[in-house]
Amino acid sequence: QEAARMHRALFPLFQELFTAPNPVPVKYALQKNSVDTGGVRLPLIGYDEENMAFDKVWEKFKSNEHIFV
């Protein structure tokens, strides 16, 4: 039950991590968490306007982060 609750809480974040080609969303998420990953190499491009959806999910995750401690 605990694992299912955590999975449901993380599921929107999982979905957002697969909205763009890997590693773009993963690097963006790490940078949001103050981990320097450098940029992505061509032919990939970093996030632009579309990262607004990721930012909304990320902020919701960060506000509920206490449930994982």
Side-chain angles (χ1 to χ4, degrees):
Q1 291 172 341
E2 180 73 13
R5 183 183 61 77
M6 293 172 85
H7 179 78
R8 283 190 301 274
L10 288 168
F11 192 69
L13 189 59
F14 297 157
Q15 288 179 307
E16 284 300 317
L17 286 173
F18 290 97
T19 59
N22 204 12
V24 175
V26 174
K27 285 186 168 227
Y28 184 77
L30 287 168
Q31 288 173 351
K32 299 276 292 176
N33 213 24
S34 301
V35 177
D36 183 21
T37 61
V40 294
R41 291 187 257 164
L42 291 174
L44 299 174
I45 57 170
Y47 268 147
D48 52 16
E49 299 278 325
E50 69 187 58
N51 68 340
M52 295 170 87
F54 184 91
D55 288 342
K56 287 180 185 176
V57 172
W58 183 256
E59 290 307 317
K60 185 174 180 183
F61 167 73
K62 293 300 278 183
S63 67
N64 292 319
E65 195 173 24
H66 64 279
I67 64 174
F68 302 105
V69 177

